[in-house]
């Protein structure tokens, strides 16, 4: 039916126009990044492949735990907003490493759930953002400002929706049945997606996810084991980091 087709076409156009107007209304030059920095962040994910994702119950555990992961070989790190003092750590590590300028550790902020979270993280110096869920208006705001955000997705449909909204990489969270085989199937069918599985990735199988087509992986509890955090066993985290980075490098060989 021609009338129905025209109605749907105008509806899609109106929705797109609304999204563009919303993005412009949310714009703030204070948060605008360059297209070069946007590309550089993505290049770092392609190069370093593994991100250390830290959640600790108390603020005092965050720095020594992350230091152990960095000393073990991680060059991409993420402090989550569920960790007390998260933004202070983001600011501290950005000042210490300034990864985009120096080529050293790149610092991001996770558990971004709304635009205010994104603003707060950027104010602290975050170089990339991560979210456990897909919130389209947050992705739109980030893409408009050339900020790399990696939103959480559970299905191929969600990952595609994130991509269409402007997310250059898609976090697969929580873990999906099939693990690396799922990544291979989705990457083959939708090769333009840049999948970043986190939950379900451990010290032994991280390389399998890379071989299956993941652009990068996130390591959470298998890297920062609860008993190591509770017992201040930073040597355990260091050893975990060395093991998983070694497995990833072997997978790339």
């Amino acid at each position: 039916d021609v009338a129905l087709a025209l109605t749907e076409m105008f509806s899609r156009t109106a929705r797109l126009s609304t999204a563009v107007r919303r993005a412009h209304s949310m714009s703030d030059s204070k948060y605008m990044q360059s297209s070069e920095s946007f590309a550089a962040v993505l290049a770092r994910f392609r190069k370093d492949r593994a991100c250390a994702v830290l959640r600790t119950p108390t603020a005092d555990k965050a720095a020594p735990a992350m230091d152990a992961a960095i000393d073990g070989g991680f060059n991409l790190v993420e402090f989550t907003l569920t960790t007390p003092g998260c933004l202070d750590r983001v600011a501290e590590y950005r000042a210490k490493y300034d990864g985009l300028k120096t080529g050293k550790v790149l610092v991001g902020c996770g558990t971004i759930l709304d635009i205010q979270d994104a603003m707060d993280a950027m104010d602290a110096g975050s170089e990339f953002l991560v979210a456990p869920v897909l919130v389209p208006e947050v992705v739109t705001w980030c893409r408009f400002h050339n900020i790399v955000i990696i939103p959480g997705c559970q299905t191929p449909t969600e990952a595609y929706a994130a991509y269409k909204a402007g997310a250059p990489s898609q976090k697969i969270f929580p873990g999906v049945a099939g693990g690396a085989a799922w990544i291979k199937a989705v990457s083959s069918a939708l090769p333009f997606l840049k999948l970043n599985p986190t939950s379900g990735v451990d010290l032994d199988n991280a390389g399998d996810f890379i071989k299956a087509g993941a652009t990068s992986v996130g390591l959470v509890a298998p890297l920062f084991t609860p008993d190591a955090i509770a017992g201040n066993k930073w040597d355990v985290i260091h050893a975990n980091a060395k093991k998983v980075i070694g497995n990833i490098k072997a997978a790339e060989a």
Side-chain angles (χ1 to χ4, degrees), residues 2 17 23 25 35 51 203 210 238 245:
V2 175
S17 177
S25 69
S35 57
C51 183
L203 308 182
I210 296 298
H238 180 269
I245 293 298

Side-chain angles (χ1 to χ4, degrees), residues 7 30-31 36 40-41 48 67 79 96 98 109 121 127 135 148 156 179 191 195 223 226 239 243 251 253:
T7 299
K30 173 184 177 182
Y31 298 102
E36 290 79 11
V41 170
D48 293 309
D67 286 342
F79 294 95
K96 182 178 181 179
D98 203 8
C109 186
E127 293 168 292
V135 184
V148 169
L195 304 179
L223 173 62
K243 180 176 181 179

Side-chain angles (χ1 to χ4, degrees), residues 2-220:
V2 175
L4 183 60
L6 287 173
T7 299
E8 177 59 25
M9 181 183 70
F10 287 130
S11 177
R12 286 198 304 269
T13 302
R15 288 196 298 270
L16 178 60
S17 177
T18 299
V20 170
R21 287 197 304 272
R22 185 181 296 119
H24 280 279
S25 69
M26 294 185 294
S27 67
D28 187 333
S29 60
K30 173 184 177 182
Y31 298 102
M32 186 64 71
Q33 309 297 302
S34 69
S35 57
E36 290 79 11
S37 69
F38 184 87
V41 170
L42 296 178
R44 285 295 304 274
F45 271 85
R46 290 193 300 271
K47 173 180 178 289
D48 293 309
R49 308 303 291 267
C51 183
V53 183
L54 179 64
R55 301 188 188 97
T56 60
T58 58
D60 62 297
K61 305 278 189 178
M66 193 62 89
D67 286 342
I70 292 170
D71 291 343
F74 276 86
N75 288 313
L76 303 172
V77 304
E78 174 193 337
F79 294 95
T80 61
L81 287 175
T82 48
T83 295
C86 166
L87 295 178
D88 291 335
R89 298 291 76 74
V90 170
E92 175 187 345
Y93 280 70
R94 172 64 186 275
K96 182 178 181 179
Y97 292 106
D98 203 8
L100 278 184
K101 290 184 179 180
T102 65
K104 297 180 181 179
V105 176
L106 202 68
V107 181
C109 186
T111 322
I112 302 297
L113 297 176
D114 55 36
I115 292 171
Q116 188 61 55
D117 284 345
M119 290 178 173
D120 292 343
M122 296 305 293
D123 285 340
S126 185
E127 293 168 292
F128 63 90
L129 304 178
V130 184
V133 292
L134 171 59
V135 184
E137 69 175 25
V138 176
V139 174
T140 300
W141 184 87
C142 287
R143 189 63 191 90
F144 184 81
H145 290 92
N146 289 324
I147 297 168
V148 169
I149 185 166
I150 307 173
C153 308
Q154 173 78 112
T155 66
T157 299
E158 283 189 332
Y160 180 69
Y163 165 79
K164 292 294 285 184
S169 183
Q170 304 79 37
K171 172 180 176 175
I172 305 306
F173 175 83
V176 291
W182 188 95
I183 295 294
K184 183 175 182 179
V186 175
S187 296
S188 297
L190 303 168
F192 46 84
L193 297 181
K194 308 299 180 188
L195 304 179
N196 173 262
T198 52
S199 176
V201 180
D202 61 34
L203 308 182
D204 296 310
N205 68 14
D208 295 334
F209 281 91
I210 296 298
K211 287 181 179 178
T215 299
S216 55
V217 295
L219 276 296
V220 195

